[in-house]
Every structure is written in C-alpha cells, then in structure tokens.
Amino acid sequence: MTNETQTEMKTGVIRVRNGNQQRPASPSQFRAKRVIGLAALYGVLGILILMPVALVLLSAFTSETPRPGNIHLTNFTFDNFATVFGAGAMRAAGNSVMVGAGASIIALLCGGFLAFVTARTNVPGRKFLYFAGLMPMFLPSFVGALAWGLLGGPNAGLLNILARDLGLSSWLNVYSLPGLIVVLGIYYAPYAFLLIHASLSLMNPDLEEAARVHGAKPHEILRKVTFPLATPAILGSAILIFTLTVENFPVAQMLGSASGIDTLPTYIFRLMNSAPSRGNEAAAVAIALVVVVLVVTAVQRRVISKRTFTTVSGKGLKPSKIDLGWFKIPAVVLGTFYFFITAVLPLLALLFVAMHDSPYISSVLGSISDGKLNFDAFLDVLVKPTVHKATLNSVIVSVLAALIGTLIAFIVSYVVNRTTIPGRAGLGYISMIPLAVPAIVLGLGLLWTWLLIPLPVYGTLTVMVIAFMAAQMPQGFQGASSGILQIHADLEDSAVMSGANRVRAIWRITVPLLRVPLASTFLLLLMLSMRELTVPLFLFTTDTRLLSIIIFDDYENGILQSSAATSVLYCGLIFILAWLAQRFGAKKTTA
C-alpha cells in the first residue's frame, strides 16, 4: 500500500486537480475543512435551537420578559425558581411523569408489537398491519383527543349515550388521568413502530441462525439476540415518546384541564396566560424540565456506547421470517383492534358529530333513525377561502420542513456517530434540546428570536418551516442515528480505498443502505409537521394560518361541527401526503 493511499485512508481523501494530476489534501487542509464544517453545523443548530432556548433561559433568570428593543442583562434573580418547588408545579410534575411513563409503555407495547410482526414474522396481512401501525399518524393527537372527548365524555360521550340507549349505565370517562395516558399512548405508538421497524428490517439474521443452530428456542432467540440488537431503536423510541408525551400540550389541555388535571405544559400555559402574565416563572419551570431530560438523554447514550449494535456488514443481508405458529390469528386480531380504536372509531365519531344537525345529542340510535344527519357542515367547510389557504400553507410548510429537516438530521447524525472530530458530541446534545423544551415555550422563544434577527421572515411561511425544523430536530436525529449505528463503516471505507472521495462514498454506499430509515425519518417529520399545533400558535398571522390552527380555534370557540368536519378533511389530506411519501420513498419498508 502506497504512502498516498495510507494518507487518503487516514484523512478521508480530499482530491484536488493540478493539471492532469490529482493530489490528496494535506492533513492541515483536511483538519481546516473539518473545523469549518463543524462550526457551520454548530452555527445552524445555534440559530435553530440555542438562540430561542437562550432567550427562554434569560427570561427565567430575570424579572423582565425579553422582547424586541427591551433586552437587558440586568435585574437577575432566582425568585422565578420558587415557583418550580411550589405545590402547583410539583403536582403538575408528578402528573407529567405518570403520563409520560404510562403512555411510553403503552406506545412501546403497541408500536413494538406491530413493528415486530410486520418486519420479522410470517403473519398474514402484514401490509394491513403495517398500515395499521402508521394509521394513528394520519389522526393527529389533538384530533384524536377531540374524537375521544366526543366518544368518552362521562355524560355526553357517544359511547356512554349509546350504552344508555341499550339500557346500560355509563362506563367510560376519558377526562381522567388513565384516559389521558391511554389516548396519548395509542397516538404516539407510531413513533415506536417506525423506529423499531426500521431497526428490525436492517437486522442481519446470521446471529439468530447461529443461536438456532446451537439449540436456542424461539423465545430465547428473541430475548437474547433480536431485541438486544434493537436496543438503540427501543431506547430511542422510549426517550422520544416519554419526552413528547410529557411536553404535549393540546391533549392535556383538552382531556386533562377539563377535569382539573394539570401537567407541566398546561401549568406553564396557565402561568403565561394569567393576568398579569408570569412568563418568567413559566420559563423557570421549563428550564427545570430541560435539565431532567438532558440527564435522561445522557444516560441513554451511555448505555448504548457500552456495546456495539452493528448488524449490517459487507457479508450481505439475508432477511428471514419467524414462524408465529398458532399466534398468527391472535396477532392479526390484536392489530385489527388497535386499528379500530385508533382510527375507525374516532373517525366515525367525528363524522357523526359533523353530520348531525345539532352538537347536542341525547340518543345515538334515535339520531340515526330520525334522519338528523346531513352534509351541510362539510359543504360549509369546503367553500371557505380560509380553509383553502390554510390547506395550501400546511402542505408547503410540511413538505419543506420534512425535506430540509431530514437532510440536516442525517448530516448531524453522521458527524456525531461516524466521525472522530473533537467536539462532535455537542451536536447530538443540542439536537435533543427541543425534546426537553415544551413546545409552548419553544414557540415563544422562536417568536422572540425571529423578531430580533434582522431578516424579513416573521409573518411568512419561511419562519414556520424554520420553526418546524427546530421543533422536530430530535425526531430526525434519532431516526437517522438508529440507522447509521447499524451500518458498518467498512463498507464506506472500502469505497474510499478504491478511490472514491468521502462524499461520493457516503452518497453511493451509506445513503442507499439507509434508504429505509431515512425514508421513515422523512415520513415521520412530514407527519409531525402536518400535526403540529403548539409551536405555530405563536408564529401564525392571518395569511399563514394552518389547518391545525383552524381546527383548534373552532374547538376553543365551541363550533364542534365545523371543527369535526375540518378534522375529517384534515386527516384525509394527511393520508394522501403519507401515501405519496410511501409511494415514492418508503415503499420497500413493507417488504
């Protein structure tokens, strides 16, 4: 091996032409490029994430809320943190922990089960079960909360009214802590499904075959080989779902606040909307939450770093299916039941309320038999110019935020997980910060940021795209990282040894191998953007309203029929976008 080749392998090979000859970049040139690239990534994440958080941090330690033209680095105080240890905040924190833990367990059970049976077993109807695993993403959590509020209200819930029609007593109350946990759990299960499915799809079955040859039983193979190899995806899903459900504001506001159950986001919301506003104390509560989640994220990275989870190498991938035996039919039944309670039943409730001539219903069976159903609410929604504009805004913002967000997440994840550049780990921690910052507070920080930065983007769709990219950076980073951790670096290094430069090797080797996880990440970010409600609440104007804001405004104003009709159309639009993404990007994930 020549000295030049050795230098190329060591530095990653950067070739420049000098006449008809090529020469590798010197180590000093390569180090300079690495430093510049790392600084650029820190700059992007700094503007996207650190600056909004810094403004929230400043607010937590001062007596004045920062705003354009009125930012002072004086009047520092710790008085705001007294609220953190008050009875209201402690009660809200306890509720948040219970909600996050309970919803994470339910989501991992539902999403992990569907991911396993669709990716690695011979269960019949795998395409349907894959669709069932994704289906709740077409029904945003706040729309699901609206639907389950219509279904499971203690007095006026449709299921309770139907029970009384049949001579039974009321039996369901979703306006409770268990109701809040279950609704959040079933609607956040697709996060676990997508990440774990991508991990299981990439898993080389050689280790399982070796265990089987040595006499291990199927359940031992699953417990000792399959699930341990999927640990990064499972842990990443758990952290992701825990933090997302803890910071969820719309569902907690719709189902929890109605029965006096505060979580940290609704408590912060009440602080910010009290008279006078207590924004500084709200920021202090948010900072305490940031510290807790950063510790949890650090623990996750420490657990993962102790072992290797590489399962894809140059030896080739031979996916195999596990025979479920007698459990095939029960698996299909469980998947179908999940599909029914997350999609069919809520959509039927929204359709029923939207088609009924009055939002006040005394008998479900009587309403159907008396012919009180019509399509007037749908016709009213379809001719509204505000709905037309909000639909176009939602599509533009979601597609751009998902595309650019996936690209940035891949670059950051590659630098963190595949390179040895000093200081790279900080990018991973910065990328995870939005998970710890409640969306309602991050939205406020983004509002201050883009009012302060002298660029004319506030009040445009551009600031919406930027805000969505910032809010969803953790999901993109986790999705890209779980795939990169399973791709062995030898494949890419082989291309470099054969003469390709590093960028070409990544594009021709690593990116195709990551097609499934990257497509899943794009789909995840697209769905998240379409579902986002809290962050744009601080950034929208009359010209940049989104469909989610139209639905929430109608709900808050008590226009339930219009809110339900718009929700049905909203879910249809999300379904179409997801189908297009599947058609042109993630089609092979069902293989």
Side-chain angles (χ1 to χ4, degrees), residues 117-118 122-132 328 332 336:
V117 298
T118 53
N122 63 346
V123 68
R126 288 199 301 277
K127 289 186 177 180
F128 165 72
L129 294 178
Y130 183 87
F131 176 73
K328 288 180 184 176
V332 174
T336 305

Side-chain angles (χ1 to χ4, degrees), residues 144-468:
L146 169 64
W148 272 100
L150 298 172
L151 281 166
N155 297 315
L158 296 177
L159 291 178
N160 288 325
I161 294 174
L162 181 61
R164 290 198 290 270
D165 287 345
L166 299 174
L168 305 173
S169 57
S170 301
W171 60 280
L172 186 60
N173 179 15
V174 296
Y175 294 106
S176 61
L177 195 58
L180 180 58
I181 290 173
V182 172
V183 170
L184 282 171
I186 60 177
Y187 284 107
Y188 278 89
Y191 295 70
F193 173 77
L194 280 172
L195 295 180
I196 297 174
H197 186 280
S199 174
L200 294 175
S201 298
L202 280 173
M203 193 175 292
N204 192 318
D206 285 352
L207 294 174
E208 295 173 343
E209 291 294 336
R212 190 174 293 109
V213 168
H214 287 82
K217 296 179 180 178
H219 69 276
E220 292 176 326
I221 296 174
L222 291 176
R223 183 167 56 86
K224 296 182 178 179
V225 179
T226 306
F227 292 136
L229 287 175
T231 299
I234 295 173
L235 279 180
S237 303
I239 297 291
L240 181 64
I241 295 167
F242 178 83
T243 49
L244 286 177
T245 51
V246 163
E247 73 167 44
N248 182 286
F249 166 72
V251 177
Q253 177 71 11
M254 289 179 171
L255 299 182
S257 295
S259 55
I261 299 172
D262 256 338
T263 59
L264 282 174
T266 58
Y267 184 70
I268 292 170
F269 181 76
R270 286 204 295 112
L271 289 175
M272 294 173 66
N273 284 275
S274 60
S277 176
R278 299 165 64 183
N280 300 96
E281 295 167 68
V285 176
I287 295 303
L289 186 58
V290 169
V291 174
V292 172
V293 176
L294 283 180
V295 170
V296 174
T297 304
V299 171
Q300 179 218 16
R301 289 185 61 81
R302 185 174 177 81
V303 171
I304 290 177
S305 65
K306 289 182 177 179
R307 297 179 55 193
T308 177
F309 299 93
T310 301
T311 58
V312 179
S313 65
K315 295 180 180 178
L317 188 66
K318 300 175 182 177
S320 63
K321 301 298 180 185
I322 299 172
D323 184 11
L324 278 185
W326 64 269
F327 194 65
K328 288 180 184 176
I329 300 303
V332 174
V333 171
L334 288 173
T336 305
F337 177 72
Y338 174 77
F339 177 71
F340 181 75
I341 64 170
T342 57
V344 177
L345 199 55
L347 284 175
L348 286 177
L350 292 172
L351 277 171
F352 184 83
V353 172
M355 294 173 64
H356 201 273
D357 60 1
S358 170
Y360 305 105
I361 299 165
S362 59
S363 171
V364 174
L365 297 178
S367 298
I368 297 174
S369 60
D370 294 343
K372 294 182 178 180
L373 304 180
N374 57 66
F375 292 96
D376 291 349
F378 287 103
L379 295 177
D380 290 342
V381 166
L382 287 173
V383 298
K384 282 183 179 178
T386 54
V387 174
H388 297 164
K389 190 159 190 173
T391 303
L392 184 61
N393 289 343
S394 296
V395 173
I396 292 173
V397 170
S398 301
V399 172
L400 288 179
L403 275 175
I404 304 173
T406 302
L407 176 62
I408 294 177
F410 170 72
I411 294 173
V412 172
S413 178
Y414 184 89
V415 171
V416 171
N417 295 295
R418 189 55 66 84
T419 71
T420 58
I421 305 175
R424 68 191 185 285
L427 294 173
Y429 288 112
I430 295 174
S431 299
M432 296 301 293
I433 286 177
L435 270 184
V437 181
I440 195 168
V441 178
L442 182 62
L444 190 60
L446 287 164
L447 168 66
W448 290 334
T449 298
W450 293 100
L451 283 174
L452 290 171
I453 291 179
L455 291 175
V457 298
Y458 180 74
T460 67
L461 293 180
T462 302
V463 75
M464 291 284 194
V465 173
I466 294 170
F468 284 13

Side-chain angles (χ1 to χ4, degrees), residues 446-578:
L446 287 164
L447 168 66
W448 290 334
T449 298
W450 293 100
L451 283 174
L452 290 171
I453 291 179
L455 291 175
V457 298
Y458 180 74
T460 67
L461 293 180
T462 302
V463 75
M464 291 284 194
V465 173
I466 294 170
F468 284 13
M469 287 164 51
Q472 294 154 14
M473 189 64 200
Q475 293 88 331
F477 178 73
Q478 286 281 1
S481 294
S482 64
I484 287 178
L485 284 171
Q486 290 189 301
I487 304 296
H488 202 291
D490 285 353
L491 299 171
E492 190 179 301
D493 290 342
S494 298
V496 174
M497 291 176 64
S498 300
N501 62 37
R502 182 62 65 177
V503 174
R504 183 177 176 83
I506 294 172
W507 178 248
R508 298 299 297 270
I509 304 296
T510 305
V511 170
L513 286 172
L514 288 173
R515 182 174 180 269
V516 171
L518 287 182
S520 296
T521 302
F522 170 77
L523 181 59
L524 178 64
L525 298 190
L526 181 67
M527 295 298 99
L528 287 174
S529 298
M530 284 298 297
R531 298 152 56 105
E532 184 59 58
L533 167 65
T534 310
V535 170
L537 277 176
F538 289 94
L539 302 171
F540 80 92
T541 62
T542 305
D543 292 330
T544 58
R545 283 199 293 180
L546 307 177
L547 273 176
S548 57
I549 294 172
I550 296 267
I551 293 170
F552 191 73
D553 279 348
D554 285 344
Y555 171 81
E556 288 289 285
N557 293 322
I559 313 173
L560 292 180
Q561 288 169 298
S562 178
S563 183
T566 308
S567 296
V568 174
L569 299 175
Y570 180 48
C571 295
L573 177 63
I574 293 176
F575 180 83
I576 292 171
L577 285 177

Side-chain angles (χ1 to χ4, degrees), residues 72-133:
H72 302 289
L73 297 179
T74 58
N75 300 325
F76 286 103
T77 178
F78 290 99
D79 291 347
N80 299 320
F81 287 89
T83 305
V84 176
F85 301 100
M90 296 302 289
R91 187 165 49 250
N95 289 336
S96 292
V97 171
M98 284 191 286
V99 167
S104 299
I105 292 171
I106 292 175
L108 282 176
L109 288 175
C110 296
F113 171 75
L114 288 172
F116 172 70
V117 298
T118 53
R120 299 303 309 277
T121 74
N122 63 346
V123 68
R126 288 199 301 277
K127 289 186 177 180
F128 165 72
L129 294 178
Y130 183 87
F131 176 73

